[in-house]
């Protein structure tokens, strides 16, 4: 393995470990050594890659989002646009253990952003990336003729807002909100705007 590949592998392990530790105990309680131990690296090596907790946190958030996006978009050029968009909607909710962990990271981000200006700016930028992710999927469907034209920015904002709202209720284990109901409710707005069937597409 080349030095470049070893470096990339080390960063991957550190960021994966950081996501796990932050989700487990919260950003305010983590120590760099905890992440180093989880990643199986020395504290010195961790500091070589990430010299502050804040930098590690922002990189971990970016890493989490990027991994999810890559998986969802794996066959975006061949799969129906509605299937890709439905995947995105599912991945905006805590639909499995990995996404549940991602949601805990987002909740840590929200809390920190309320008290730290640098984190607030970073959070706004991450939301812009999410907005673009949804919007690009909608635009592809419109361009291919699969979706009825609509105001893409308005729909993207609505999808993110609904996902946040339902996601919080699901994370709280609110007995009045189920995952299936949340997906159906969000997709109902999507399908109305884009001229699609109300049933959430499956693979």
């Amino acid at each position: 393995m080349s030095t470049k590949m070893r470096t990339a592998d080390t960063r991957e392990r550190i960021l994966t470990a950081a996501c796990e530790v932050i989700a487990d105990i919260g950003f305010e309680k983590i120590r760099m050594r905890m992440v180093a131990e989880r990643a199986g690296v020395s504290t010195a090596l961790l500091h070589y890659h990430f010299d502050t907790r804040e930098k590690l946190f922002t990189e971990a958030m970016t890493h989490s989002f990027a991994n999810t996006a890559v998986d969802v978009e794996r066959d975006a050029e061949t799969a129906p646009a509605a299937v890709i968009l439905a995947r995105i909607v599912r991945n905006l909710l805590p639909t499995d253990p990995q996404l549940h962990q991602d949601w805990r990271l987002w909740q840590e981000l929200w809390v920190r952003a309320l008290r730290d200006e640098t984190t607030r700016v970073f959070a706004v930028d991450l939301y812009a990336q999410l907005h673009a992710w949804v919007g690009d999927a909608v635009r592809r469907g419109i361009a291919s003729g699969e979706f009825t034209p609509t105001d893409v920015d308005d729909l993207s904002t609505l999808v993110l807002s609904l996902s946040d709202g339902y996601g919080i209720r699901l994370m709280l284990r609110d007995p009045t909100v189920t995952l299936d109901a949340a997906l159906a409710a969000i997709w109902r707005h999507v399908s109305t705007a884009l001229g699609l069937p109300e049933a959430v597409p499956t693979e």
Side-chain angles (χ1 to χ4, degrees), residues 93 166 170 176-188 200:
L93 294 170
Y166 280 112
L170 291 168
T176 66
V177 178
T178 66
L179 177 57
D180 286 344
L183 280 169
I186 296 170
W187 192 257
R188 190 158 53 246
V200 183

Side-chain angles (χ1 to χ4, degrees):
M1 183 183 294
S2 67
T3 300
K4 185 176 181 180
M5 290 177 65
R6 282 197 300 272
T7 299
D9 179 68
T10 299
R11 285 180 64 88
E12 174 78 18
R13 284 191 289 125
I14 290 172
L15 290 171
T16 298
C19 290
E20 293 171 358
V21 175
I22 293 167
D24 284 348
I25 67 173
F27 175 75
E28 298 303 330
K29 292 181 180 179
I30 68 164
R31 299 294 178 265
M32 297 294 263
R33 63 172 175 77
M34 297 175 182
V35 177
E37 289 172 0
R38 182 76 66 97
V41 302
S42 67
T43 304
L45 184 56
L46 174 59
H47 279 284
Y48 172 78
H49 287 281
F50 306 98
D51 54 357
T52 66
R53 287 194 316 155
E54 288 72 19
K55 184 176 181 181
L56 179 60
F57 179 58
T58 56
E59 289 278 355
M61 289 294 306
T62 302
H63 171 77
S64 172
F65 169 60
N67 279 355
T68 298
V70 167
D71 179 61
V72 169
E73 298 277 356
R74 62 188 179 275
D75 55 355
E77 299 304 317
T78 56
V83 168
I84 299 298
L85 186 55
R87 280 186 200 157
I88 291 174
V89 171
R90 286 189 181 92
N91 278 268
L92 290 172
L93 294 170
T95 51
D96 62 32
Q98 181 60 52
L99 290 167
H100 192 275
Q101 175 181 288
D102 290 348
W103 256 87
R104 295 182 75 172
L105 293 177
W106 274 98
Q107 290 174 311
E108 291 291 324
L109 179 68
W110 291 334
V111 172
R112 184 161 177 74
L114 294 175
R115 300 180 176 87
D116 179 76
E117 177 62 13
T118 300
T119 306
R120 184 195 68 78
V121 172
F122 172 69
V124 170
D125 180 66
L126 268 186
Y127 264 106
Q129 293 180 51
L130 286 175
H131 189 278
W133 189 33
V134 176
D136 287 348
V138 173
R139 288 186 182 92
R140 284 200 302 267
I142 292 173
S144 68
E146 296 173 68
F147 297 164
T148 300
T150 191
D151 187 315
V152 177
D153 286 334
D154 277 358
L155 180 60
S156 300
T157 298
L158 179 63
V159 168
L160 292 181
S161 298
L162 289 170
S163 298
D164 280 350
Y166 280 112
I168 290 170
R169 302 279 292 279
L170 291 168
M171 290 296 290
L172 292 173
R173 299 192 296 275
D174 185 332
T176 66
V177 178
T178 66
L179 177 57
D180 286 344
L183 280 169
I186 296 170
W187 192 257
R188 190 158 53 246
H189 290 279
V190 171
S191 63
T192 298
L194 299 179
L196 299 170
E198 278 198 14
V200 183
T202 57
E203 296 295 322

